[in-house]
Structure formats: structure tokens, C-alpha cells
Amino acid sequence: MRIILHVDMDCFFAQVEERANPAIKGIPVVVGANPKEGKGRGVVATCNYEARKYGLKSAMPISIAWTKCPRAVYLPPRFELYSEASCEVMDIFKGFADRFEQVSIDEAYLDVSSAGSYEKARLLAQEIKDRVKAAGLTCSVGIGPNKLVAKIAAGEKKPDGLTIVKNEEVNEFLNPKKVGVIYGIGEDLAKAPEEVVDELGNYGRELQRLAKGVDERDIIEQWETKSIGRQSTFDKDTKNRKQIIDLLDGFIPELYRDLDNERVMFRTVTFKVRYEDFETHTKSRTLPEFTSSIKIIRKLTTEWVDFALEDVRKIRLVGVSLHNLKRKSLNSSKQPQKTWNQ
Ligand SMILES: [Mg+2]
């Protein structure tokens, strides 16, 4: 019997901030962009449950968050702090899993099939929750026969929840409407006749299976970084070439540091531009070979900025990301010297 646990930290960034500074516990806390008294741009990264009572949520424009709850404590993200806390809790999770897959900074799947029963899996989950609590944090756990069910179960009771959905309870638990809400799959698809699903091909088949709660996707043990990127919103929409290039240049040292930390090279560079009316375009270039050259990023982004500036609209946001990553072999020749000048 397959038993999968999904562990999801509750409002992770906000919780880590609360742990670092207990004085802000119990009051609304928002981690994200600078609200600038309602004039700020950018979004809420995470907020705690006190802030959610005011209708605040992740990805909400920070200006709206400010209107709804000006008295909240607004904090700039401290990713290093969160990443340390993430390692701390992931280490706890790993100790309980036959196989382990980290899906994001604050979520992981654990294959605990060897526990043998849902009752034993519940005890494991409780132990994980206790350990996380002893570290000063809380998480919510979902237990199910596959990743999909486990993940939805983890979201059922938050914060500090524990939800079990056994094999025989899946249909009742996952009425198709609920799946539709979460995965954007309509109720219709779960009930759709075969011919319709055939029209959609393999993808349709996969969606229909997911809509019925059937999910055979395996736990993927090696969690690989899929892309490295940075983007930023200007304080004021702009057509100033220098300002745009300067912002992009500012990303380059950070991208380089990420490549270095992950020990990867890239082959594809993607540029993203969002105009004042929110229309967003991306442009990508795949290089003939893997590289960790900074020069090529600067060269391509400069070309693309010039192209983007041919449009009459002002620019709101730009970003650059690196995809198609390959791990450097450990005995590769000495790494290139880190220098930003050409
Ligand atoms: Mg979470």
C-alpha cells in the first residue's frame, strides 16, 4: 500500500519572522514589497493568519494590503533567513521518509509506505508536527494514497492541521468541484465521455485521472533547480533606457551567485517585460552550448531592452531568468574568476 504525506509549513516567511522576533507575534505581519503608505508597488509574499483576518493574502498588491490593514507590520523578505529555516525543517522531514521530495522552500512530499497503515502514518505525522513545533514553527500535514490527495488534504485544515484521506475515502473527499477549484479542471472533465477526453490527447487523460483523484506520479528524490531568475517592478513606469539597463545589471551578480551556489551552467536566457497596461512579453534564446558567462546575459538583455523600447508604452517590470540548467561536473576545471567588468 502506498502512503504519501504532504507537509506544508504554515505562512512560512511570516512564521519565521515571528520566531526571529516574538514581539510581532499575535499582530498582523506582512512579508513583501515596501507598501510606501499605499503607494508601493509589488506584492505580498506571505502574511500571517492575523493579517489574513483583514482579507490579506499572498500575491495581493501591497498597496491593497496597506488599504485593508495599515497597522500591520510590513517586513522586507529575508530569504537567507527563510532558506536556513527551510533546511532545518526539511532535515526533520527527511528523517521520517522512505523517499523524500522537496517541492518548494516550505513544502515536501514524503513516501511513508513502509509505515504499513494509515494509523502508523498518523503517528509519524504527529511526530513530525511535534518536532517542528519544538523548533518554534507549525506545519500542516495531509496523508493520502498519492501526491495529489495528500497535497489537497494538507490544505484542508490550516494552520497546524492534520488530515487523512484513505484510499476508500478519496471519491468522497475529492468531489470534482474541489479538484476543479484547485487545479483549474472543471467538474465536467471528471465526468466527460471518453471521446471528449481523447480529443484532448494524453494531457486530457492525465487531467481526467487527476480530477478523479487517481495520481500515480512518483516521489522524485532529487530535487533539481529548474531555473534561476530575478525580476523587479520599477517605482514608476519608465522608458529610460539607462534606468532599465541598470536594474538588469543589478540582477547579474545575484544570478551569478545563484549559478555558483547551485553549481550549474545554463543554456537558455529568458527576458521578461511587462508594460504599463500589464501586457507581458517574454523572449528567450537558447545558446549552442552550456555556459556560465555573464557577458552573454548582459549582451542579450541589452538587445532585448532596445527591442522592448520600440513599443510606445512605458515599462513596468523587467526580469531575466536562466533555464536549461546543467550541473557542473565536480572535477571540472577551475571556475572562472568572478568579475563584473568585461
Ligand atoms: Mg506553505
Side-chain angles (χ1 to χ4, degrees):
M1 180 173 53
R2 215 174 155 220
I3 306 178
I4 306 294
L5 245 79
H6 182 258
V7 193
D8 184 15
M9 299 301 295
D10 304 318
C11 57
F12 187 53
F13 299 169
Q15 235 200 123
V16 173
E17 291 290 352
E18 286 175 353
R19 183 177 70 164
N21 177 13
I24 60 172
K25 243 188 159 153
I27 50 176
V29 174
V30 180
V31 177
N34 184 345
K36 297 186 182 165
E37 310 208 315
K39 296 190 196 77
R41 299 160 65 99
V43 296
V44 172
T46 316
C47 58
N48 68 358
Y49 285 85
E50 277 73 20
R52 289 178 201 199
K53 288 178 195 156
Y54 292 83
L56 273 56
K57 54 186 181 188
S58 300
M60 171 181 273
I62 201 78
S63 53
I64 295 183
W66 175 270
T67 321
K68 289 178 180 281
C69 188
R71 71 178 198 90
V73 178
Y74 288 85
L75 301 170
R78 294 195 285 173
F79 291 108
E80 247 164 64
L81 188 71
Y82 314 145
S83 135
E84 271 173 37
S86 173
C87 291
E88 198 183 327
V89 295
M90 292 299 157
D91 277 347
I92 298 176
F93 304 158
K94 276 178 207 164
F96 291 88
D98 303 334
R99 288 190 302 157
F100 169 82
E101 178 185 351
Q102 180 172 352
V103 260
S104 70
I105 191 163
D106 76 326
E107 274 174 56
Y109 289 109
L110 282 65
D111 188 328
V112 297
S113 303
S114 70
S117 72
Y118 278 95
E119 235 359 88
K120 292 242 173 67
R122 175 199 291 276
L123 295 176
L124 281 184
Q126 194 52 58
E127 217 177 316
I128 291 171
K129 287 171 66 70
D130 292 346
R131 289 276 300 277
V132 170
K133 215 168 262 180
L137 299 167
T138 67
C139 59
S140 295
V141 181
I143 305 179
N146 58 45
K147 288 162 90 169
L148 173 82
V149 173
K151 185 178 166 78
I152 299 173
E156 271 291 289
K157 290 180 212 136
K158 271 188 143 288
D160 203 13
L162 172 53
T163 305
I164 302 183
V165 180
K166 295 178 190 166
N167 243 331
E168 60 273 22
E169 298 163 347
V170 168
N171 279 338
E172 198 186 332
F173 174 72
L174 284 189
N175 61 71
K177 192 160 157 264
K178 207 175 263 170
V179 181
V181 167
I182 296 172
Y183 285 90
I185 309 164
E187 184 172 357
D188 301 336
L189 192 55
K191 293 180 190 154
E194 283 297 306
E195 312 88 82
V196 176
V197 180
D198 279 346
E199 283 294 308
L200 294 167
N202 282 339
Y203 180 61
R205 225 164 261 296
E206 180 69 22
L207 283 178
Q208 189 184 45
R209 288 150 59 85
L210 288 174
K212 287 177 177 167
V214 178
D215 176 13
E216 284 153 9
R217 291 171 302 158
D218 215 344
I219 299 281
I220 300 155
E221 285 226 70
Q222 267 300 327
W223 184 67
E224 299 274 352
T225 309
K226 293 196 184 75
S227 71
I228 283 173
R230 288 287 184 285
Q231 63 174 41
S232 192
T233 310
F234 292 103
D235 283 333
K236 258 182 90 183
D237 299 335
T238 184
K239 276 192 80 67
N240 181 324
R241 182 175 188 273
K242 182 174 182 306
Q243 193 190 356
I244 299 167
I245 304 255
D246 282 352
L247 183 76
L248 287 163
D249 271 353
F251 294 151
I252 290 179
E254 297 179 34
L255 294 173
Y256 193 79
R257 195 191 59 204
D258 286 356
L259 286 170
D260 197 40
N261 284 345
E262 304 280 347
R263 290 182 215 292
V264 288
M265 301 189 290
F266 62 93
R267 244 189 98 183
T268 304
V269 185
T270 300
F271 172 70
K272 174 170 164 184
V273 57
R274 179 168 296 149
Y275 291 106
E276 54 189 329
D277 57 0
F278 279 81
E279 197 177 295
T280 306
H281 295 266
T282 58
K283 263 184 164 310
S284 288
R285 172 84 53 87
T286 297
L287 308 165
E289 283 172 16
F290 286 96
T291 177
S292 33
S293 161
I294 302 303
K295 266 169 138 176
I296 187 76
I297 304 176
R298 182 172 285 155
K299 180 175 170 289
L300 288 172
T301 51
T302 307
E303 275 175 39
W304 286 330
V305 166
D306 287 332
F307 183 77
L309 282 170
E310 285 173 18
D311 196 287
V312 293
R313 290 169 291 183
K314 287 182 181 166
I315 290 173
R316 178 183 167 84
L317 167 151
V318 287
V320 57
S321 52
L322 311 173
H323 308 255
N324 226 331
L325 305 178
K326 187 177 94 173
R327 207 160 273 270
K328 284 181 189 166
S329 60
L330 285 173
N331 50 10
S332 70
S333 55
K334 270 183 90 184
Q335 298 189 351
Q337 194 188 8
K338 293 176 207 175
T339 158
W340 304 125
N341 28 25
Q342 304 286 324

